[in-house]
Amino acid sequence: MEALFPVLKSHPAQSVLVCSVLFRVVHRLLQRLPVPKVVRQDEYRAWKWRNLSVSMVHSLLTGTWALTCVVVWPETLRNIHSYHTPLSYLLVCVSTGYFVQDAGDIILTGHARGSWEFLLHHALVIWSFMYALYTQLYVAGAVIALFVEVNSVTLHLRLMLKLSGDQFSPMYHINKLANLFTYITFRLCTQFYLTWYMVNNYSWMDHGGYFLTTMIMMNIMILIYFYRLLRADFFPHSKSYVGQNGTHNNNSKKFLSE
């Protein structure tokens, strides 16, 4: 790792591109795995399943990796501005590569218009992470931000259960409670800590205004998603989508966006 680190620092864009290609290879390999019949019958669901499968790999990998970095090197939490290790730098490279790959997948498959919120999120993340990679500042902040990927595991599982028509199964019920817990613990609390750190150290941090603005935009998006999650899983207003089996294309996107 020590030998690889100078190469990563000298060529951050190329490193991200390599990681993006690797995630594309993962995308290809995952297509060989069996897919539920109800998913195969609907074009949008089939694409969403493939997309989520790669996202699940990214979340499992980077969420665990980010937590490990903080446990092994607690200074990561205390010095968001300038502290980082070779492994934390590599983590940011890998994660940036995933977001580049995912944005490309959304755009090139023709789903950009319906997924504009995800593209906005990806653009903010890619810009912030690339800044960290080029300047070697805020790498620790990027690592902490990746705590949210722990929650992404349950978020992805939630949607994959809906894709396969298992939204009324015991597994879905258990996961929605786990999803609520991880959303509050690893997504809302993480954003609160990063925002608090930026506000309290704004006066001396490099490009503090940009990152604080980015953080506020992310906070707004996360709170909106949290409201949608609570409304869909704990306070449903309608049963209009009960019984969807994936064969009605006109309702698939709306049903799966809940």
Side-chain angles (χ1 to χ4, degrees):
M1 186 62 220
E2 293 294 338
L4 179 63
F5 190 41
V7 178
L8 296 176
K9 291 195 298 182
S10 301
H11 307 283
Q14 292 89 332
S15 301
V16 168
L17 181 60
V18 169
C19 293
S20 179
V21 172
L22 290 176
F23 273 107
R24 197 61 191 173
V25 172
V26 171
H27 181 279
R28 293 288 185 180
L29 293 175
L30 290 175
Q31 289 187 36
R32 300 181 181 182
L33 297 178
V35 177
K37 182 179 179 181
V38 67
V39 174
R40 295 197 305 269
Q41 292 175 342
D42 184 280
E43 182 181 351
Y44 177 76
R45 288 179 184 239
W47 168 78
K48 195 68 176 176
W49 183 277
R50 294 192 300 269
N51 182 270
L52 282 171
S53 297
V54 182
S55 297
M56 181 69 85
V57 171
H58 168 258
S59 296
L60 287 168
L61 174 64
T62 58
T64 305
W65 194 340
L67 290 176
T68 302
C69 284
V70 171
V71 170
V72 178
W73 299 287
E75 182 66 18
T76 303
L77 279 175
R78 297 189 291 267
N79 187 356
I80 289 176
H81 177 258
S82 56
Y83 181 79
H84 66 275
T85 66
L87 274 177
S88 62
Y89 190 92
L90 177 59
L91 168 59
V92 179
C93 282
V94 170
S95 191
T96 308
Y98 159 74
F99 285 112
V100 170
Q101 184 277 149
D102 195 55
D105 183 56
I106 292 172
I107 294 171
L108 296 177
T109 54
H111 294 96
R113 185 174 182 180
S115 304
W116 67 269
E117 294 172 74
F118 294 103
L119 289 176
L120 174 60
H121 169 271
H122 287 8
L124 292 173
V125 171
I126 292 169
W127 176 261
S128 299
F129 281 16
M130 288 302 298
Y131 177 92
L133 293 174
Y134 269 101
T135 64
Q136 298 173 47
L137 299 174
Y138 302 108
V139 175
V143 171
I144 295 171
L146 287 170
F147 281 12
V148 302
E149 295 302 329
V150 177
N151 169 245
S152 293
V153 172
T154 55
L155 274 177
H156 297 333
L157 180 57
R158 171 186 180 272
L159 189 47
M160 292 179 86
L161 288 169
K162 293 185 75 172
L163 284 165
S164 60
D166 293 321
Q167 66 270 25
F168 304 110
S169 66
M171 181 63 179
Y172 187 92
H173 180 73
I174 294 171
N175 183 72
K176 79 175 183 179
L177 297 176
N179 189 37
L180 179 64
F181 172 76
T182 57
Y183 203 107
I184 294 172
T185 305
F186 292 101
R187 196 171 290 269
L188 292 179
C189 289
T190 295
Q191 287 296 122
F192 173 80
Y193 177 73
L194 289 172
T195 304
W196 172 85
Y197 189 98
M198 292 294 299
V199 169
N200 279 272
N201 297 279
Y202 171 80
S203 61
W204 61 268
M205 297 181 78
D206 298 89
H207 297 94
Y210 165 75
F211 283 103
L212 184 58
T213 301
T214 301
M215 197 62 59
I216 291 172
M217 292 177 65
M218 296 288 285
N219 291 345
I220 293 172
M221 294 175 68
I222 285 174
L223 289 173
I224 291 173
Y225 292 153
F226 188 53
Y227 165 75
R228 291 178 181 175
L229 178 69
L230 292 176
R231 184 188 64 184
D233 276 355
F234 298 96
F235 305 102
H237 295 299
S238 171
K239 301 295 183 182
S240 58
Y241 302 118
V242 172
Q244 286 291 331
N245 60 8
T247 59
H248 297 84
N249 292 331
N250 58 329
N251 285 333
S252 286
K253 294 184 180 181
K254 187 173 182 180
F255 171 61
L256 294 169
S257 66
E258 290 296 327

